[in-house]
C-alpha cells in the first residue's frame, strides 16, 4: 500500500511528500469558499487502514486493481478490507459491547452485499471508555447524549467520523443497513437518495408522507393533517421490478447504479437514477448514481457492475469481522532528535527539546506508560542513544528525566529507525491500547540509511506499518531544511496522527504540553500569549469551564530559563488552587471542576521579562470542536482547505450567520486570517454541500512562501442548534456554552527545490555516528598508510642517494 509520495531533490536529502496531489477543478472566487465534494480518487488515496484490491502475483504484483484483466498472469484480490476503530465514550457494560459487535458484523454484511462483494469490514478495534474520539471511525455516545445516526460526508480520515448513541443500536434486522448507509456517506462521499433536492444542491423539497395531502409540498407537520412533513421518497430503477429502495434511500440493500431515461426503467447507462425526483445525490454529485459515486471516489479498486447489481454479492461470502477490545491505558513513546543540527541556535534546539520533553514527563499523570527513544544516524542504544522502556510513571521519574538530560548532538537523521524502535517498545509493553501514541520531534529531513532513495523507502514503510498497527504519530518540527514542514505534516497524516509546527524552536515546550493534553482526552479551551514585563495586561486571565467537564488543566510556560512566576487558580466560588512547578512553567490538573469562570492569576518573579503562553484545557466528552485540513501539505500558491466542526448534545451544531475565524501564521512570522462559514454553496458552486449542516469550510490562498503555516482557531459556542446533516433537525434544542481553540499546521514546499546544504552538515564528525566513524577511520588509515609509504620511499631514496655518493667517493 503506497503511503508517501516521494519529493525528489537532486542533491542529498529527499522529502517524503504528499499522499495525494489534488488538482482543483475550479478557480476560487472567494476568500472563504471550498469544494463541495471530493475530487475523483481523492478518498481512495488518503492514508487509511484499508487493504485495497491489488494484483496477487505476476508482472503487476502489488499494483491496485479492480478486475483480473489488470493482472496478467495472476488475479486481482476479490475485495477491499476496511479496518475501523470504534470509540465508546463511556464505560460500556458487556451487553453494550456485544450489541456494538453485532452492529459491525451486520454492517459488514450489508456493505458486502451493496458493493457486490467488493468491500467488507476486517478488524474492528473497540476502545471502551475512550477518553476521546481522536482516531475513531465510529463514535458511540451514551444514551444521555442522544445522537441519531450521522456521518460527515467525505471526511474519511480528515477529521470526520460516524456517530450514534447506544440507545439507537436496538434493531438487529436494521441496524447494520443504517450504519452501512452512514459508512457510504463517510467513505464514498455519497449523498442521500430519499431527499428531493432543488437543482444546484439547493434546499430539500419536503412533502406530506401520508394522509389526505400525501405528496403535497409542505414546510411543517401542520401542513399535513394526519401525517407529517418529510423529505420526498426517492427510488432506484430496477430492470425487472421497476423501482426499489436503495441503501441510500429507505434502508434498501443495493446502490443505485444509473438511469439516463426516466421513462425507461431498464436503462442502466448512467445519469439521473430516480425517474421522479432530483435527489440529493444526483443534484449534489453531478448527476452521478451512487454506484458511479463509489467508483468516482475509489476509481482503481472498485468496479461498477455492468448490469443490475447482484443481490447475492456475486456468490461471494463475507468474511467474519475480527474484534479487538483494548484497555484504556495511556501508552506513549517520545522519539527525540539528536542529530548534529540540534546544536544550532541559542538556546540550542536540543536545550529547547530537553525542556519540552521534561514538561511532558512532569505533566503526565501517574500510571501513564512512557518510553523514550532518541536517534540520529540510527536509534541504537549501543551508539549512545536513549533507550527507556515503556513503564508506568510514578512519583520517582528520574529514569526518564536522566535520559532527557543526557541527550547530546551529532550525526544525521534516521527518523524511520526511531519510529521502528518506538513501535518495538510498544509491542514489548503489551501492544496498542485505546490511547497509544508516538511523539516525534525532528529538525531535519530524513536522510538515512543511505542512499537517499533507501531513506525514502524506509520511512515510507515505517509510516505505513504504524498506520496499519493503529499507532498515530504526533509530530513537531523545527529547522530550515527545504520541505521539512511538509515531511512532518505527511508523517502525521500518514499515521492518523497530528501535526503542530515548531518552526520557532521556542514552541517546542508548548507543543509537547499540548500533545500530552490531546492524548489524554483534553481539548484546549482558551489561551493568551504575552510578556511578563506587561503582566498587568494578561493577569488575571478568565477561562470559562463548561458544564460536563470531567477535569480541567492549566499551564503557564515561559521561554527564559532564568524567569519564574507563581500561578494561582480561582474557581467560580472563589476557592483557590495551587499550581506545581515544571521546567520553565507551572501546571495543575483538577478533577470535577465547577462550571463557570475560572481565573489564572500570574505573578512573575521580580525583574522577569520573557514571552509566555498561558492555556487551559478541559476533558469533556460531550462538547467538542474539531478543525482539520483537507491536505496536510501543498505546493506554493495552492489553496489550503480547512474544516471546522463543533459538536455538542445530539451531534454537530451551527448558528445562522455565524463565522469561525482562524489566525494564520506564515513562515516569515507574519499574521493573516481565514474565515470559515456554514453557508452551503454560493452561486458559483463554492462552499460545502449544504447550509446549516454544522460543517464550516474555508480556503486559504496566500501560500507563496515555503515552510510552515499555522492555523489557530478560537470559538465561543453558545445556544447553537443542531446541524441538519441533510435531514430535519430539532432547531429548538440548543447547545450549552463552551469555548475551544485548536492549533493545526500545514506545510508548503516545492518538490523541485534543491537542498544544497542539509543542516546535518553543520556537524561533520558526530561521535555517535558509527557509519561516519568507520569512514573517518578508513580515511585516517589511508592517510597514515600514504604517509608511511611516502616516508619509506623517501628513506629508500635517501639510501640510494647515500650509496651512490659513497661509490663516487671511492672512485
Amino acid at each position: 500500500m503506497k503511503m508517501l509520495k516521494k519529493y525528489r531533490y537532486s542533491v542529498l536529502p529527499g522529502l517524503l511528500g504528499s499522499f495525494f496531489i489534488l488538482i482543483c477543478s475550479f478557480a476560487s472566487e472567494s476568500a472563504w469558499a471550498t469544494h463541495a465534494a471530493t475530487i475523483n480518487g481523492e478518498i481512495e488515496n488518503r492514508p487509511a487502514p484499508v487493504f485495497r484490491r491489488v494484483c496477487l502475483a505476476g508482472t503487476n504484483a502489488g499494483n491496485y486493481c479492480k478486475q483480473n484483466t489488470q493482472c496478467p498472469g495472476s488475479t486481482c484480490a476479490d475485495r477491499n478490507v476496511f479496518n475501523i476503530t470504534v470509540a465508546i465514550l463511556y464505560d460500556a457494560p458487556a451487553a453494550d459491547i456485544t450489541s456494538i459487535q453485532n452492529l459491525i458484523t451486520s454492517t459488514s454484511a450489508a456493505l458486502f452485499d451493496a458493493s457486490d462483494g467488493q468491500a467488507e469490514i476486517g478488524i474492528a478495534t473497540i476502545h471502551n471508555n475512550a477518553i476521546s474520539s481522536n482516531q475513531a471511525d465510529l463514535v458511540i455516545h451514551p444514551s444521555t447524549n442522544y445522537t441519531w445516526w450521522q456521518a460527515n460526508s467525505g471526511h474519511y480520515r480528515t477529521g470526520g467520523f460516524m456517530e450514534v448513541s447506544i440507545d439507537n443500536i436496538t434493531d438487529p434486522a436494521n441496524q447494520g443497513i443504517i450504519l452501512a448507509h452512514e459508512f457510504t456517506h463517510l467513505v464514498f462521499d455519497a449523498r442521500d437518495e430519499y431527499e428531493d433536492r432543488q437543482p444546484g444542491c439547493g434546499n430539500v423539497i419536503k412533502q406530506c408522507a401520508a394522509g389526505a395531502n400525501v405528496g403535497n409540498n409542505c414546510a411543517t407537520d401542520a401542513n399535513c393533517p394526519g401525517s407529517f412533513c418529510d423529505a420526498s421518497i426517492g427510488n432506484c430503477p430496477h430492470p425487472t421490478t421497476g423501482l426499489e429502495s436503495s441503501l441510500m434511500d429507505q434502508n434498501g440493500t443495493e446502490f443505485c447504479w444509473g438511469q439516463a431515461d426516466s421513462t425507461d426503467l431498464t436503462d442502466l447507462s448512467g445519469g439521473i437514477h430516480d425517474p421522479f425526483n432530483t435527489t440529493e445525490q444526483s443534484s449534489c454529485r453531478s448527476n452521478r448514481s451512487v454506484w458511479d459515486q463509489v467508483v468516482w471516489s475509489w476509481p482503481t479498486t472498485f468496479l461498477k457492475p455492468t448490469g443490475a447489481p447482484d443481490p447475492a454479492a456475486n456468490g461471494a461470502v463475507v468474511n467474519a469481522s475480527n474484534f479487538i477490545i483494548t484497555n484504556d491505558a495511556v501508552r506513549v513513546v517520545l522519539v527525540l532528535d539528536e542529530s548534529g543540527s540540534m546544536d544550532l541556535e541559542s538556546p540550542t534546539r536540543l536545550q529547547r527539546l530537553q525542556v519540552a520533553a521534561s514538561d511532558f514527563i512532569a505533566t503526565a499523570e501517574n500510571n501513564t506508560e512512557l518510553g523514550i527513544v532518541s536517534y540520529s544516524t540510527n536509534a541504537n542504544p549501543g551508539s549512545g542513544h536513549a533507550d527507556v522502556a515503556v513503564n508506568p510513571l510514578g512519583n520517582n521519574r528520574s529514569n526518564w528525566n536522566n535520559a532527557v538530560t543526557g541527550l547530546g548532538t551529532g550525526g544525521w537523521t534516521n527518523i524511520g529507525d526511531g519510529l521502528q524502535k518506538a513501535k518495538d517498545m510498544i509491542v514489548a509493553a503489551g501492544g496498542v491500547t485505546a490511547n497509544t501514541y508516538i511523539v516525534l520531534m525532528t529538525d531535519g529531513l530524513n536522510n538515512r540509511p543511505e542512499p537517499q532513495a533507501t531513506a525514502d523507502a524506509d520511512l515510507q514503510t515505517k509510516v505505513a506499518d504504524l498506520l496499519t498497527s493503529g499507532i498515530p504519530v504526533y509530530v513537531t518540527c523545527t529547522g530550515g531544511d527545504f520541505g521539512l514542514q511538509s515531511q512532518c505534516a505527511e508523517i502525521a497524516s500518514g499515521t492518523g496522527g497530528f501535526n503542530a509546527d515548531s518552526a520557532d524552536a521556542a514552541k517546542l515546550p508548548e507543543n509537547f504540553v499540548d500533545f500530552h493534553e490531546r492524548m489524554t482526552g483534553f481539548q484546549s479551551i482558551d489561551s493568551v500569549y504575552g510578556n511578563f514585563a506587561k503582566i498587568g495586561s494578561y493577569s488575571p486571565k478568565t477561562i470559562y469551564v463548561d458544564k460536563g467537564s470531567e477535569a480541567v488543566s492549566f499551564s503557564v510556560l515561559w521561554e527564559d530559563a532564568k524567569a519564574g512566576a507563581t500561578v494561582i487558580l480561582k474557581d467560580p466560588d472563589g476557592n483557590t488552587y495551587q499550581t506545581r512547578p515544571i521546567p520553565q512553567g507551572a501546571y495543575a490538573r483538577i478533577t470535577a471542576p465547577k462550571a463557570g469562570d475560572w481565573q489564572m492569576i500570574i505573578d512573575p518573579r521580580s525583574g522577569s521579562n520573557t514571552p509566555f503562553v498561558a492555556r487551559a484545557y478541559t476533558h469533556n466528552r460531550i462538547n467538542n470542536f474539531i478543525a482539520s485540513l483537507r491536505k496536510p501539505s501543498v505546493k506554493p500558491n495552492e489553496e489550503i482547505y480547512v474544516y471546522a466542526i463543533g459538536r455538542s448534545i445530539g451531534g454537530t451544531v451551527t448558528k445562522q450567520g455565524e463565522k469561525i475565524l482562524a489566525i494564520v501564521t506564515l513562515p516569515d512570522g507574519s499574521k493573516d486570517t481565514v474565515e470559515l462559514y456554514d453557508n452551503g454553496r454560493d452561486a458559483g458552486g463554492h462552499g460545502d454541500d449544504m447550509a446549516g449542516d454544522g460543517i464550516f469550510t474555508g480556503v486559504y490562498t496566500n501560500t507563496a512562501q515555503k515552510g510552515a503555516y499555522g492555523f489557530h482557531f478560537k470559538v465561543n459556542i453558545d445556544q447553537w442548534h443542531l446541524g441538519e446533516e441533510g435531514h430535519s433537525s430539532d432547531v429548538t434544542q440548543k447547545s450549552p456554552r463552551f469555548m475551544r481553540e485548536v492549533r493545526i499546521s500545514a506545510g508548503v514546499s516545492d518538490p523541485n527545490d534543491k537542498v544544497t546544504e542539509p543542516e546535518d552538515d553543520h556537524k561533520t564528525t558526530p561521535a555517535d555516528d558509527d557509519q561516519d566513524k568507520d569512514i573517518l577511520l578508513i580515511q585516517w588509515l589511508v592517510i597514515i598508510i600514504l604517509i608511511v609509504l611516502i616516508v619509506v620511499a623517501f628513506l629508500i631514496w635517501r639510501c640510494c642517494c647515500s650509496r651512490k655518493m659513497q661509490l663516487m667517493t671511492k672512485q
Side-chain angles (χ1 to χ4, degrees):
M1 178 166 61
K2 293 183 180 179
M3 299 310 303
L4 290 169
K5 183 181 187 294
K6 297 176 187 174
Y7 279 80
R8 300 188 182 276
Y9 296 94
S10 61
V11 181
L12 291 174
L15 170 64
L16 292 173
S18 175
F19 283 94
F20 53 88
I21 300 298
L22 306 181
I23 305 302
C24 296
S25 61
F26 68 98
S28 177
E29 300 174 4
S30 167
W32 55 267
T34 186
H35 283 296
T38 52
I39 298 171
N40 187 10
E42 175 184 337
I43 300 182
E44 180 180 61
N45 286 304
R46 291 177 185 166
V50 180
F51 290 90
R52 297 166 172 84
R53 299 182 70 183
V54 297
C55 295
L56 299 178
T59 56
N60 291 340
N63 291 352
Y64 291 160
C65 61
K66 52 186 177 182
Q67 53 190 330
N68 290 337
T69 56
Q70 296 172 307
C71 303
S74 180
T75 57
C76 178
D78 67 342
R79 66 195 70 188
N80 299 282
V81 181
F82 293 81
N83 295 335
I84 67 170
T85 300
V86 183
I88 306 176
L89 298 186
Y90 66 100
D91 191 2
D96 284 4
I97 293 176
T98 298
S99 294
I100 293 167
Q101 291 175 317
N102 291 339
L103 165 70
I104 293 169
T105 297
S106 180
T107 297
S108 184
L111 180 66
F112 194 72
D113 181 3
S115 66
D116 275 6
Q118 295 182 65
E120 67 182 17
I121 295 175
I123 299 173
T125 302
I126 299 177
H127 300 319
N128 187 26
N129 202 24
I131 58 179
S132 75
S133 57
N134 284 347
Q135 278 76 45
D137 300 298
L138 172 62
V139 176
I140 309 294
H141 297 276
S143 57
T144 52
N145 183 18
Y146 178 86
T147 304
W148 183 242
W149 305 86
Q150 56 184 263
N152 300 121
S153 182
H155 283 241
Y156 186 47
R157 293 285 147 171
T158 59
F161 48 74
M162 305 170 288
E163 60 183 330
V164 68
S165 52
I166 188 65
D167 47 314
N168 282 310
I169 304 175
T170 55
D171 185 353
N174 197 38
Q175 59 183 351
I177 290 175
I178 297 178
L179 186 58
H181 173 115
E182 302 302 332
F183 186 95
T184 303
H185 281 316
L186 181 71
V187 178
F188 302 118
D189 200 17
R191 301 304 307 182
D192 289 320
E193 296 280 12
Y194 59 80
E195 292 178 328
D196 192 5
R197 187 167 288 278
Q198 295 174 2
C201 207
N203 295 329
V204 173
I205 300 173
K206 298 181 178 181
Q207 297 176 343
C208 295
N213 293 340
V214 61
N216 291 352
N217 290 351
C218 58
T220 67
D221 290 348
N223 302 127
C224 306
S227 181
F228 59 93
C229 184
D230 196 7
S232 55
I233 306 302
N235 294 278
C236 288
H238 192 280
T240 57
T241 62
L243 294 174
E244 68 172 20
S245 179
S246 80
L247 182 66
M248 305 311 292
D249 187 358
Q250 298 298 304
N251 300 335
T253 60
E254 304 293 339
F255 292 144
C256 284
W257 65 97
Q259 179 73 17
D261 184 353
S262 61
T263 64
D264 183 359
L265 298 181
T266 65
D267 179 8
L268 307 175
S269 61
I272 188 168
H273 35 90
D274 187 319
F276 306 116
N277 295 316
T278 302
T279 66
E280 184 177 292
Q281 169 65 26
S282 59
S283 182
C284 299
R285 295 294 179 264
S286 302
N287 216 28
R288 289 189 291 272
S289 70
V290 176
W291 251 117
D292 287 320
Q293 179 65 32
V294 169
V295 176
W296 167 262
S297 56
W298 295 71
T300 56
T301 57
F302 277 83
L303 180 67
K304 182 183 176 182
T306 56
D310 191 300
N314 290 321
V317 178
V318 65
N319 294 316
S321 297
N322 296 316
F323 296 99
I324 299 174
I325 313 296
T326 68
N327 65 61
D328 59 0
V330 177
R331 184 169 291 162
V332 184
V333 177
L334 306 183
V335 179
L336 310 177
D337 192 347
E338 288 188 290
S339 62
S341 49
M342 287 293 288
D343 68 353
L344 295 175
E345 304 177 19
S346 181
T348 67
R349 295 170 184 171
L350 182 65
Q351 289 171 330
R352 302 280 200 190
L353 174 60
Q354 287 172 319
V355 173
S358 298
D359 283 344
F360 193 101
I361 296 168
T363 56
E365 298 287 289
N366 280 343
N367 296 318
T368 297
E369 298 179 15
L370 183 65
I372 298 179
V373 171
S374 66
Y375 69 96
S376 56
T377 306
N378 58 53
N380 295 332
S383 298
H385 292 298
D387 179 33
V388 181
V390 174
N391 275 300
L393 291 172
N395 293 328
N396 184 352
R397 305 185 180 188
S398 58
N399 195 27
W400 294 268
N401 285 317
N402 290 341
V404 171
T405 303
L407 296 176
T409 62
W412 297 81
T413 303
N414 191 336
I415 296 172
D417 204 29
L419 294 177
Q420 182 62 54
K421 180 69 174 175
K423 184 197 172 183
D424 293 344
M425 280 188 174
I426 290 168
V427 171
V432 176
T433 69
N435 309 291
T436 298
Y437 304 89
I438 291 173
V439 175
L440 169 68
M441 185 273 154
T442 183
D443 78 332
L445 289 166
N446 184 67
N447 51 41
R448 288 296 185 274
E450 290 186 293
Q452 187 60 48
T454 301
D456 293 341
D458 179 70
L459 182 54
Q460 175 175 309
T461 299
K462 302 297 171 48
V463 168
D465 181 54
L466 289 172
L467 177 69
T468 302
S469 302
I471 306 174
V473 181
Y474 279 37
V475 189
T476 189
C477 297
T478 190
D481 280 351
F482 279 128
L484 172 64
Q485 297 296 337
S486 292
Q487 171 191 259
C488 292
E490 295 294 340
I491 293 172
S493 174
T495 58
F498 186 79
N499 174 50
D501 79 87
S502 294
D504 176 359
K507 282 187 175 181
L508 283 170
E510 177 185 357
N511 283 328
F512 269 64
V513 171
D514 277 0
F515 286 173
H516 169 260
E517 297 302 302
R518 288 180 65 91
M519 291 172 185
T520 53
F522 283 68
Q523 310 153 39
S524 180
I525 303 173
D526 195 11
S527 65
V528 60
Y529 293 86
N531 192 294
F532 278 172
K534 301 178 180 179
I535 195 62
S537 303
Y538 313 109
S539 179
K541 168 64 178 174
T542 299
I543 301 289
Y544 181 77
V545 176
D546 43 310
K547 294 179 180 179
S549 294
E550 300 172 37
V552 63
S553 301
F554 299 88
S555 69
V556 180
L557 308 173
W558 47 85
E559 290 186 17
D560 188 350
K562 298 177 181 179
T566 300
V567 181
I568 302 295
L569 309 172
K570 185 179 292 187
D571 72 12
D573 292 335
N575 301 311
T576 59
Y577 301 81
Q578 301 292 325
T579 59
R580 55 189 172 87
I582 60 175
Q584 294 180 214
Y587 179 82
R589 178 171 283 188
I590 300 165
T591 59
K594 184 176 180 62
D597 287 333
W598 285 62
Q599 289 188 333
M600 299 177 70
I601 304 168
I602 305 169
D603 183 15
R605 182 185 304 155
S606 177
S608 291
N609 180 9
T610 180
F612 75 92
V613 57
R615 180 169 284 123
Y617 307 84
T618 179
H619 183 206
N620 190 310
R621 289 186 276 191
I622 296 177
N623 302 326
N624 191 12
F625 178 72
I626 297 170
S628 62
L629 303 173
R630 185 170 180 172
K631 295 191 289 183
S633 63
V634 299
K635 295 179 181 179
N637 297 310
E638 288 186 341
E639 294 95 342
I640 297 175
Y641 297 95
V642 292
Y643 302 96
I645 304 169
R647 282 187 165 87
S648 187
I649 298 173
T652 59
V653 292
T654 188
K655 186 176 182 180
Q656 185 176 7
E658 194 72 29
K659 70 179 178 183
I660 294 175
L661 181 71
I663 304 298
V664 185
T665 302
L666 279 66
D668 63 2
S670 60
K671 303 291 185 180
D672 202 353
T673 60
V674 61
E675 296 176 348
L676 287 75
Y677 294 85
D678 186 16
N679 289 346
R681 295 192 190 186
D682 62 18
H686 309 135
D688 75 330
D689 280 341
M690 58 195 70
D693 60 357
I695 301 174
F696 289 73
T697 58
V699 62
Y700 186 70
T701 59
N702 183 22
T703 61
Q705 297 180 41
K706 299 169 187 174
Y709 285 72
F711 295 83
H712 191 166
F713 299 82
K714 285 194 175 188
V715 294
N716 186 354
I717 294 173
D718 189 14
Q719 297 297 294
W720 288 20
H721 65 78
L722 287 177
E724 291 194 11
E725 289 284 350
H727 313 290
S728 299
S729 62
D730 182 5
V731 296
T732 64
Q733 184 172 334
K734 305 293 185 180
S735 69
R737 182 190 176 196
F738 64 98
M739 301 176 65
R740 294 291 186 272
E741 66 172 4
V742 174
R743 296 182 304 116
I744 56 176
S745 300
V748 175
S749 64
D750 190 333
N752 295 319
D753 281 337
K754 298 178 181 179
V755 179
T756 57
E757 184 184 3
E759 292 195 349
D760 288 334
D761 278 353
H762 287 280
K763 200 78 169 178
T764 55
T765 57
D768 69 330
D769 187 340
D770 293 340
Q771 183 179 12
D772 284 1
K773 282 197 298 185
D774 291 342
I775 293 172
L776 188 63
L777 179 61
I778 292 171
Q779 289 174 340
W780 276 110
L781 287 173
V782 170
I783 291 171
I784 291 170
I785 291 170
L786 287 173
I787 291 173
V788 170
L789 289 174
I790 292 170
V791 171
V792 170
F794 176 75
L795 292 175
I796 292 172
W797 176 77
R798 284 294 302 271
C799 259
C800 290
C801 288
S802 176
R803 187 173 181 79
K804 189 182 239 182
M805 289 294 294
Q806 290 175 358
L807 290 173
M808 290 177 65
T809 302
K810 288 180 179 182
Q811 292 176 351

